[in-house]
Amino acid sequence: MTDGQHASVEDFHNYILVTGANGGLGYAICCRLIDEFMLTRPSSHSLRLIITTRDKTKSHDTIAKLKDHIFRTRKHHKLHEKTPLVAKIYLQAEQVDLCQLRSVQTLVKRLIRSLPKLDTVILNAGHGGFTGVDWPLATWTLLTDFRNAMTYPKFKLSGVGDLTKPQVPDHSPSTAKDSTRLGDVFCSNVFGHYLLVHGIASLLSNSPEYYGRVIWISSLEAYPSTFSVNDLQGLSSPSAYESSKRLTDLLALSSRLPATLPWTNRFLPPPSHHRPPKQYVAHPGICATNILPLHWILVYVMTAAFYIARWVGSPWHTVTTYKGACAPVWLALAPQEELDAMEEDEGAGKWGSSIDWQGEERATRTEVQGWGVGGRVGDNVGLRKNGRRPREVEDLDGDSRAGFESVGRRCWQAMEHLREEWENLLEDDDE
């Protein structure tokens, strides 16, 4: 196993990039990618796993942990590195701060220099911007509607109007100081990734046999009520995290609709000889992570409540991040023919990590308000009965489906305008 060593496409068959890999869901995605690739692929296949963290210390620590994970997996399954049926795993660490657009541009340049292609990008990094819990509301909803409140909580408190650091120096003559900053949660969860994917579009189109895959990580908490296309960055929203995840759903699910092609073709320009990348969206269910600031005792209480919610019928409480990584990893490794056939039969959908009361996880279609389970009216029958939709959501109809497409088109138009604006601003500052 080597780190950061350049190789040819023939030597390394699968190149997968995971952002925010130093902990939580991102680290679990890496571990699960390694396990499933190593245990299901022959030695003629190999995986170069490129991880991103914010600094070199975190990168070093994460690579060390992943090497230890590989060793323990081999030992547990009694696999030797030279066993004919064991695929090869290679690790490469990169650093990026998604809230600083110059850092994103620097990463793009490094990746283009060092890699021949990218098969999959898993856009996991981000943060919640949460400040606490509305305890009276939490107590009431948990006592009166436990499972629904545990699955679709409305009692988290967030900062409003939080901004990144200035993207260009304050003394820059090209713009006023107030316009050199972006919404912090928006930039971390959506826009930083958006610029990254646009910058590496050529790598995602470099495989002559497969579509490159862009996998956005969303959430069950992507409530339509938290998002407005007129407040794309969520600066006025008291739910900036939920707003960013609704935007994620809108972008990913509308990315292949004819109405959005004028802008998606600018975001990911169609290659002349290879297949264009495809965008997917997944979520981890509900995991016990540190995204919400809680006292350590309350973390244990929260985790116990997650297990209880699962035992009383919730299909989404995966609890552990490793089980939550099920859907993103499945999207990354599933044969393209399988994904294409499923979308042909049932439409493009949002894939979630679901689980039964015994702890068996699987990738499952998730209803999105305004889109349903596959963008087709009438295909979401029975979701309320098995607990896979919020209690207040109604069946998809033609009007709501048309509304989703219209908002998706406006989001793509606004995102492309914002991308071009910021690329020009950064370019002007360089001169």
Side-chain angles (χ1 to χ4, degrees):
M1 181 172 56
T2 61
D3 304 308
Q5 181 179 356
H6 180 71
S8 68
V9 177
E10 289 75 20
D11 291 331
F12 300 104
H13 285 76
N14 289 76
Y15 288 71
I16 299 179
L17 171 69
V18 180
T19 66
N22 56 288
L25 180 64
Y27 178 73
I29 287 173
C30 293
C31 290
R32 190 156 188 145
L33 278 169
I34 289 169
D35 293 349
E36 295 195 13
F37 198 92
M38 189 161 37
L39 297 174
T40 61
R41 306 296 173 95
S43 60
S44 59
H45 288 222
S46 56
L47 168 66
R48 177 170 287 276
L49 182 58
I50 304 104
I51 66 164
T52 76
T53 65
R54 281 196 171 194
D55 57 59
K56 290 185 177 180
T57 299
K58 290 181 179 178
S59 290
H60 180 271
D61 292 344
T62 304
I63 290 292
K65 290 192 298 180
L66 289 174
K67 285 182 176 180
D68 183 61
H69 179 81
I70 292 171
F71 173 79
R72 287 186 282 109
T73 298
R74 291 186 187 278
K75 184 176 180 181
H76 177 74
H77 293 279
K78 299 181 180 179
L79 301 173
H80 190 271
E81 196 162 327
K82 296 183 179 180
T83 302
L85 295 179
V86 178
K88 303 177 183 68
I89 309 293
Y90 301 84
L91 303 175
Q92 177 176 331
E94 300 288 349
Q95 293 80 48
V96 66
D97 182 351
L98 290 166
C99 285
Q100 290 297 305
L101 303 186
R102 289 203 180 280
S103 176
V104 175
Q105 291 181 330
T106 300
L107 174 61
V108 167
K109 293 175 183 177
R110 287 200 306 267
L111 293 175
I112 289 177
R113 284 198 306 265
S114 65
L115 300 177
K117 67 166 185 171
L118 270 171
D119 296 290
T120 302
V121 178
I122 302 179
L123 306 175
N124 163 77
H127 65 269
F130 298 116
T131 58
V133 173
D134 182 340
W135 288 111
L137 180 60
T139 302
W140 172 253
T141 55
L142 290 172
L143 288 176
T144 58
D145 194 4
F146 177 76
R147 193 176 76 177
N148 200 59
M150 288 297 297
T151 308
Y152 308 101
K154 305 290 179 62
F155 45 74
K156 297 178 182 178
L157 300 176
S158 303
V160 178
D162 293 341
L163 298 171
T164 65
K165 296 177 181 178
Q167 301 293 333
V168 296
D170 292 344
H171 62 266
S172 172
S174 59
T175 186
K177 180 178 178 180
D178 290 345
S179 62
T180 65
R181 304 167 79 182
L182 288 157
D184 187 55
V185 174
F186 164 78
C187 196
S188 175
N189 294 359
V190 183
F191 194 59
H193 283 134
Y194 192 89
L195 288 190
L196 172 63
V197 172
H198 175 75
I200 59 176
S202 60
L203 293 176
L204 286 162
S205 301
N206 257 6
S207 176
E209 299 180 5
Y210 304 102
Y211 291 102
R213 300 179 193 177
V214 178
I215 302 174
W216 294 87
I217 300 299
S218 183
S219 168
L220 282 170
E221 299 171 48
Y223 312 128
S225 60
T226 64
F227 175 77
S228 169
V229 71
N230 297 318
D231 183 24
L232 195 72
Q233 300 185 42
L235 293 175
S236 300
S237 174
S239 307
Y241 173 81
E242 293 87 344
S243 173
S244 73
K245 295 306 179 181
R246 177 62 176 180
L247 176 59
T248 297
D249 287 357
L250 286 159
L251 293 173
L253 292 173
S254 67
S255 62
R256 280 174 265 160
L257 297 177
T260 64
L261 286 181
W263 297 280
T264 57
N265 284 344
R266 285 157 58 179
F267 173 59
L268 292 174
S272 55
H273 301 294
H274 297 162
R275 296 182 178 185
K278 286 189 173 183
Q279 298 183 62
Y280 299 90
V281 62
H283 71 83
I286 300 171
C287 307
T289 68
N290 61 358
I291 193 171
L292 184 65
L294 292 174
H295 188 277
W296 66 269
I297 294 177
L298 292 177
V299 172
Y300 284 103
V301 174
M302 175 188 70
T303 304
F306 284 178
Y307 278 108
I308 294 171
R310 181 201 295 179
W311 295 332
V312 298
S314 168
W316 297 124
H317 283 81
T318 48
V319 185
T320 68
T321 52
Y322 189 85
K323 291 183 181 294
C326 171
V329 171
W330 173 74
L331 278 175
L333 298 181
Q336 188 64 53
E337 297 80 5
E338 179 182 347
L339 296 179
D340 290 345
M342 296 181 78
E343 291 194 347
E344 179 68 25
D345 291 340
E346 304 174 9
K350 178 179 180 177
W351 292 93
S353 301
S354 68
I355 199 163
D356 62 25
W357 71 274
Q358 294 176 307
E360 294 295 325
E361 70 272 24
R362 67 192 65 78
T364 305
R365 283 180 177 269
T366 307
E367 183 172 14
V368 175
Q369 293 186 53
W371 183 259
V373 294
R376 299 174 181 177
V377 176
D379 284 354
N380 52 351
V381 177
L383 292 181
R384 181 175 286 119
K385 184 177 180 181
N386 64 22
R388 285 170 51 199
R389 65 148 58 155
R391 199 178 307 283
E392 64 275 10
V393 174
E394 299 299 327
D395 289 343
L396 179 67
D397 58 31
D399 289 342
S400 57
R401 170 62 177 77
F404 185 95
E405 180 171 334
S406 176
V407 175
R409 177 183 57 79
R410 293 177 63 194
C411 288
W412 274 108
Q413 183 178 16
M415 289 293 288
E416 273 301 285
H417 175 78
L418 193 65
R419 176 184 66 79
E420 292 172 353
E421 177 184 346
W422 274 98
E423 287 179 345
N424 290 335
L425 179 62
L426 295 173
E427 183 178 348
D428 290 343
D429 188 63
D430 287 335
E431 296 177 353

